[in-house]
Amino acid sequence: MRLLFILLLVLASVVVGAGGAWFLRPGSEVMEVGNAAEDPQDLEHYSYVELQNQFVVPLTEGETVTGLVAVSLAIEGKKGEEKTILHAEPRLRDAFLRVLFEHARADGFQGDFTNDTSMAELRSRLSAAALDNLGQIVSGVLITSVTRQDF
């Protein structure tokens, strides 16, 4: 019975992994979505560019790494500027990592780090970094996922 359970667990993991890989396959970096509360005419002017790889931020105490935070981001920008945003991804990743490391050093990922205030502050700092790098083609940065793993 135990062997059957393990076999079913492995099979379920493979199916879930394959499904995730299918949904996250290459070529899906530009995602056009909207918020129902926004004016539909405004949505026609913006698109969302999902950055391909997560940002991994180490959490430290002194010189010891105590955990990791993985963050996924999307850039909200003017429609038609998706290629410009993707072309600038290395610069954006560098700027975003600086912000995320600074946030981690200030204990921004400790305690209830997903509360509205903390996330709004982080989103604002990430958006400012995007604006510094790309100017007015960017209207904001969205935090699409945050995962914390303690060791």
Side-chain angles (χ1 to χ4, degrees):
M1 186 68 175
R2 183 176 178 194
L3 182 60
L4 180 61
F5 176 73
I6 292 172
L7 185 60
L8 287 174
L9 185 61
V10 168
L11 183 61
S13 298
V14 169
V15 169
V16 169
W22 185 80
F23 281 109
L24 298 174
R25 66 189 179 276
S28 59
E29 69 259 8
V30 177
M31 176 177 58
E32 295 188 34
V33 296
N35 182 342
E38 294 179 14
D39 182 4
Q41 290 180 344
D42 289 342
L43 292 177
E44 295 174 8
H45 303 291
Y46 293 100
S47 65
Y48 298 85
V49 178
E50 185 84 26
L51 298 181
Q52 287 296 308
N53 298 314
Q54 291 181 321
F55 294 82
V56 178
V57 181
L59 303 175
T60 59
E61 287 182 20
E63 295 195 16
T64 304
V65 176
T66 60
L68 294 172
V69 172
V71 181
S72 296
L73 302 175
I75 310 296
E76 180 179 25
K78 290 183 180 176
K79 192 170 229 151
E81 296 290 346
E82 297 88 354
K83 287 186 180 181
T84 303
I85 293 169
L86 287 171
H87 188 269
E89 186 172 349
R91 273 188 299 139
L92 289 171
R93 292 189 73 79
D94 178 64
F96 292 159
L97 280 171
R98 286 185 212 165
V99 170
L100 291 166
F101 289 160
E102 201 173 284
H103 191 72
R105 280 193 302 273
D107 293 333
F109 293 114
Q110 300 297 326
D112 183 17
F113 67 94
T114 59
N115 68 54
D116 290 341
T117 304
S118 182
M119 288 288 99
E121 177 186 331
L122 181 56
R123 195 176 299 106
S124 173
R125 293 176 62 210
L126 290 166
S127 295
L131 282 167
D132 285 348
N133 278 277
L134 289 174
Q136 296 302 312
I137 68 168
V138 172
S139 60
V141 174
L142 305 174
I143 301 170
T144 57
S145 74
V146 178
T147 307
R148 177 180 166 158
Q149 175 64 51
D150 293 322
F151 301 140

